[in-house]
Amino acid sequence: MRILYKYFKNFLRNLRRDLYSLLGKNFKRGTYKFGKYPFGIQIIGFTSLAKGVGESVRSHIRVIDILGFNNSVIDLKKKESFKLKNSYKYNLFHINADLVPEMYFKLGKKFLGNKYNIGFWLWELEKFPVKWENSFNYFDEIWVCSDFIYSCL
């Protein structure tokens, strides 16, 4: 498990650079696969929420779109979003550690299985609660956006 701070843009930039170096200038959106999955990112969060956590996920969606990556979005506030097929190798979860068990229950083990799962966590607590520690187990990486959050982990 890696905990990364301020690496989202670099992750995507490097991924795009690697694709260009492998595929040349003929890189086209939606045409390449990694194993059985097409290249892209599934973004899961509260996209319709009019709060900071909603704006955070919407900002990441804009960056992913600008860089030209395939993506699909699951809004955890809308039940119809759960019917979407998870066809990409990467999952980016914009939910905090306290909601991870509930999210896992809603989406199911199959949704996270054989995928690279990234958690993006935001909160304002000085100490990471012990009861949330199990939430690390669902992810390959945790991304945070501030020194404060990083120091709590």
Side-chain angles (χ1 to χ4, degrees), residues 15 38 47 89 123 132 139:
L15 200 52
T47 59
K89 176 71 175 168
W123 67 86
W132 295 356
F139 301 102

Side-chain angles (χ1 to χ4, degrees), residues 96-98 122-132 146-153:
N96 288 329
D98 59 327
L122 301 167
W123 67 86
E124 299 176 0
L125 304 174
E126 290 184 20
K127 187 172 186 225
F128 191 80
V130 174
K131 65 183 178 182
W132 295 356
S146 71
D147 290 324
F148 174 77
I149 298 171
Y150 184 80
S151 68
C152 294
L153 299 177

Side-chain angles (χ1 to χ4, degrees), residues 10-136:
N10 288 336
F11 167 79
L12 293 174
R13 212 174 273 133
N14 291 337
L15 200 52
R16 188 171 180 87
R17 185 199 64 224
D18 292 346
L19 284 172
Y20 276 126
S21 67
L22 286 171
L23 307 169
K25 293 181 180 178
N26 296 324
F27 171 73
K28 292 180 184 162
R29 189 178 191 149
T31 58
Y32 301 101
K33 289 191 171 197
F34 290 94
K36 64 180 183 175
Y37 301 107
F39 177 73
I41 300 170
Q42 179 89 9
I43 305 151
I44 302 99
F46 296 100
T47 59
S48 60
L49 204 61
K51 295 183 178 184
V53 70
E55 182 54 34
S56 174
V57 69
R58 290 189 297 273
S59 295
H60 277 159
I61 293 167
R62 285 192 296 271
V63 170
I64 290 167
D65 282 339
I66 288 168
L67 291 173
F69 292 121
N70 294 324
N71 67 79
S72 59
V73 177
I74 290 183
D75 185 347
L76 292 173
K77 282 286 195 189
K78 297 180 179 177
K79 289 188 179 185
E80 63 272 11
S81 292
F82 298 120
K83 296 175 185 170
L84 293 173
K85 184 180 176 188
N86 184 3
S87 58
Y88 297 127
K89 176 71 175 168
Y90 298 96
N91 289 325
L92 177 58
F93 292 89
H94 271 263
I95 59 167
N96 288 329
D98 59 327
L99 297 177
V100 170
E102 181 184 338
M103 172 274 310
Y104 183 76
F105 177 75
K106 284 182 178 179
L107 297 176
K109 181 179 180 180
K110 197 173 186 179
F111 188 91
L112 282 79
N114 296 319
K115 305 291 176 110
Y116 195 82
N117 298 301
I118 302 164
F120 187 85
W121 293 353
L122 301 167
W123 67 86
E124 299 176 0
L125 304 174
E126 290 184 20
K127 187 172 186 225
F128 191 80
V130 174
K131 65 183 178 182
W132 295 356
E133 287 181 2
N134 189 42
S135 295
F136 284 100

